[in-house]
Structures are given as C-alpha cells and as structure tokens.
Amino acid sequence: MRASRLLSVLLLLQNRGRLTARELADELEVSIRTIYRDMDALSASGVPVYADRGPDGGYSLLEGYRTHLTGMTAEEADALALSGMPEAAAELGLGRVLAAAQLKVQAALPGELSDRAGRIAERFHLDAPGWFREADHVPTLTGVADAVWNQRVLRVRYRRWATGGREPEVERELEPLGLVLKAGTWYLVAVPSGEPGATPRTYRVARILHLETLDVRFERPEGFDLWKYWHQRTQELTDALYQAEATVRFSPQALELASVVLTPHTARALTEGTWPADADGWVEAVIPIESIAHARHELLALGADVEVLAPLALREQMAGVAHALAGMYGG
C-alpha cells in the first residue's frame, strides 16, 4: 500500500510540478504527517525531491527528472474505461483506482502529449445527471458491479415500480450482464438465473433493497451486446409510450421553448418536422403523445402559446383547465 502511495506522490509531482504537503494529503486522502514521512522515504531512496519554504513553497522534483516506474495494475487498466466519468467511477468503488491509472498514463506520455491531455481535461467535462434532479441513492451499486465483473449470481430483494395488485417486493436470483448509467440513474441488465435463453430484463439499481452475491458463476449469453440491447430497449419503450398523436398550434414563443418544456421525443418530432407557418408565425403540427392526461400537463406549461385542435378529448380538457384558472383568478 505504501509503495503504491509513494509512486502516486512521485507521479503527482512529475505531472503537476510544485505541490504543498496539504495539496498532496488532500489528493491522496492521507494526513500531512504521512506526506512528510513519504517525502523522507523518497529522498532516502535517491529521488531528487526538495522542499521550498514560505507562502509559495512546496515540494518539487529536480528540473528534468522523470520516472518511468509507471507500471499499471490490471484493476487500474480496467478503470480507464471510465476515465471520462469520475463520479460514476467513484460510485462503482473505483475512484482512487481510476485516479492512480490516470496519473500513470499521463506520466508515461511524452511531455507535449502530457501537456495536451492536461489542457483537454481543463476544458471539457462530462456531467451525466439531468438538470434539477437528485441522483439515486445506490448503496448496493458496488456489490452489483462486482457481481457483473466476476460473473456471479445475485440474490436480490427488489421493489417493483408498478405492482398491479402484486406484492410490491420480490426476491429474484439474477445473472447480471451489465450496468447502464442513463441521465444519472443506474440500471442493471440481467437474466433470471437458471433459465437458459431467457430474455434480459432491466432493473433500477436504486430499487434493489438487499443483495447477496452467491458463490455461483454463470456464463454470459454468447453474442450479448449491452449497447445494442439498451438501444433496442429504449426504442421499444419510446414506441410503447407514444402510441397516440395530437394536432396542436404553436406560437413562435412556444417553438422557442419546446426543447425546454416538452419531453425530448415530442420536442424532436416538433423541431424536425416541416410545418407551414401562418401570417403570425404560428405553426400547426402533429406531435406524438403518451396519453391525454400526460399531454395536457405537458402542453399547459406553454400556456396561451398553444392551441390543441385534436383529439377532442384533449382540447376539452385544456379548455376545462383554462376555465377553472379564469374562475380562480377572477377572469
């Protein structure tokens, strides 16, 4: 453990230049006293590290010194697949492993490429969760990820979303095939254990109330492609949800707000379609809707900048809400 930390200290100084004991301690999540001992150990081993005192001081390596002791462990190499998503790596229990892997990769690069990689990291950032929503609490995620990686059967207690009169909590034995992070929400793709040829199913990790990793190894279905499965599943879900249409007039203001107010599927259908505009800039468009109630809530957010023409049931519900609001506000 200490040898790995000493290498991390050395690579941090090589990649970032002068760093204070506090900065090193915060980066490696150790005490300042530990950093002092590590510096003494590096110096005793012949590493040309020196300290500058004063407010602008810190530890540095002798100019021009570079180490090539950047051997990467198998676990660190695996973690590099998440190099663009540090928060996701941390949730999976790979945060410190990923940080060590990135340090070693940067240290192994020639000076110019290392500087270029640093500039990219300073200028681009991926933030996966959606706006104005809390991320799921996923205490079981690390255990699920371990079972996915090691191909171990999971016994889980799961809380269903829609029970339909059934028991809200069920126990399942699953063969976990993969994890998907969608807009800040983790999903497990798995098949029921002991059912060869079964169709994969999707489970929201936050709904896993308890899990037990069994000492049973399973074989992944031959040819299973997680990306293809997820792409097909999301398309099927979208098609299942949006089976009706509505004819709606949109004002120029509503068209500008569509991408913010409407669901992505509805907004895309509106913006990608070709709709003739009248003299005032209003367009008549046909948009997909999930249900009358869902469409009513969605379109009401645009207020008087939309007019529903069909179906009649949706138009009547919009009119009913408008009359109720007028009565409430004395109109």
Side-chain angles (χ1 to χ4, degrees):
M1 179 68 180
R2 191 187 184 196
S4 176
R5 189 179 66 246
L6 289 174
L7 179 57
S8 294
V9 170
L10 181 55
L11 295 178
L12 282 168
L13 293 175
Q14 178 174 302
N15 292 339
R16 302 185 188 178
R18 181 182 288 115
L19 292 170
T20 66
R22 166 55 63 191
E23 289 171 333
L24 287 166
D26 290 345
E27 183 73 30
L28 299 174
E29 299 180 2
V30 296
S31 68
I32 293 180
R33 187 178 295 275
T34 297
I35 295 298
Y36 291 154
R37 290 197 295 266
D38 288 348
M39 289 304 173
D40 290 340
L42 286 173
S43 181
S45 67
V47 175
V49 59
Y50 62 92
D52 290 326
R53 299 184 180 278
D56 296 325
Y59 291 99
S60 303
L61 294 173
L62 184 67
E63 186 175 355
Y65 175 84
R66 292 185 66 84
T67 180
H68 298 289
L69 298 176
T70 57
M72 189 175 299
T73 67
E75 189 179 26
E76 290 166 350
D78 295 337
L80 279 176
L82 297 169
S83 58
M85 298 181 290
E87 292 86 358
E91 289 182 328
L92 291 169
L94 296 172
R96 296 187 68 178
V97 176
L98 175 60
Q102 289 173 322
L103 268 177
K104 292 178 181 180
V105 168
Q106 191 170 4
L109 291 172
E112 181 181 348
L113 292 181
S114 179
D115 292 343
R116 187 179 181 87
R119 290 197 300 273
I120 291 175
E122 291 171 354
R123 289 162 172 78
F124 298 96
H125 173 67
L126 171 65
D127 187 5
W131 283 102
F132 311 120
R133 56 175 295 177
E134 292 290 334
D136 278 348
H137 179 56
V138 283
T140 60
L141 180 61
T142 302
V144 171
D146 184 72
V148 168
W149 186 250
N150 293 298
Q151 296 178 223
R152 298 292 178 181
V153 174
L154 285 174
R155 180 180 291 135
V156 305
R157 190 168 77 251
Y158 187 76
R159 186 178 72 251
R160 305 186 214 215
W161 176 60
T163 62
R166 301 169 296 175
E167 287 294 322
E169 296 181 10
V170 294
E171 188 171 289
R172 295 279 189 267
E173 287 192 4
L174 304 174
E175 297 176 3
L177 304 179
L179 283 164
V180 176
L181 178 60
K182 171 72 170 178
T185 301
W186 286 99
Y187 295 93
L188 168 66
V189 178
V191 295
S193 182
E195 298 184 19
T199 302
R201 303 173 188 174
T202 304
Y203 302 84
R204 188 165 176 168
V205 176
R207 295 184 178 275
I208 297 177
L209 306 176
H210 175 77
L211 71 81
E212 176 186 356
T213 303
L214 305 183
D215 191 20
V216 179
R217 196 175 190 276
F218 68 90
E219 295 300 323
R220 292 173 61 83
E222 186 176 351
F224 175 75
D225 186 312
L226 181 61
W227 182 89
K228 287 182 179 178
Y229 165 81
W230 186 256
H231 181 73
Q232 180 181 353
R233 184 72 184 93
T234 52
Q235 187 59 53
E236 290 172 352
L237 180 60
T238 299
D239 293 341
L241 284 176
Y242 293 92
Q243 294 189 343
E245 292 181 335
T247 303
V248 182
R249 294 181 69 238
F250 292 88
S251 74
Q253 291 76 15
L255 292 174
E256 291 180 4
L257 293 171
S259 61
V260 177
V261 174
L262 305 181
T263 61
H265 185 67
T266 303
R268 185 165 57 251
L270 176 62
T271 56
E272 292 181 355
T274 302
W275 319 107
D278 63 19
D280 296 322
W282 285 63
V283 301
E284 182 178 318
V286 178
I287 59 171
I289 62 172
E290 181 179 336
S291 66
I292 297 296
H294 185 273
R296 182 189 70 232
H297 287 296
E298 191 173 5
L299 293 172
L300 280 172
L302 293 170
D305 285 307
V306 294
E307 179 190 2
V308 174
L309 303 179
L312 181 60
L314 177 56
R315 181 178 175 88
E316 290 176 342
Q317 289 198 19
M318 294 285 287
V321 173
H323 291 152
L325 287 171
M328 182 180 297
Y329 290 100

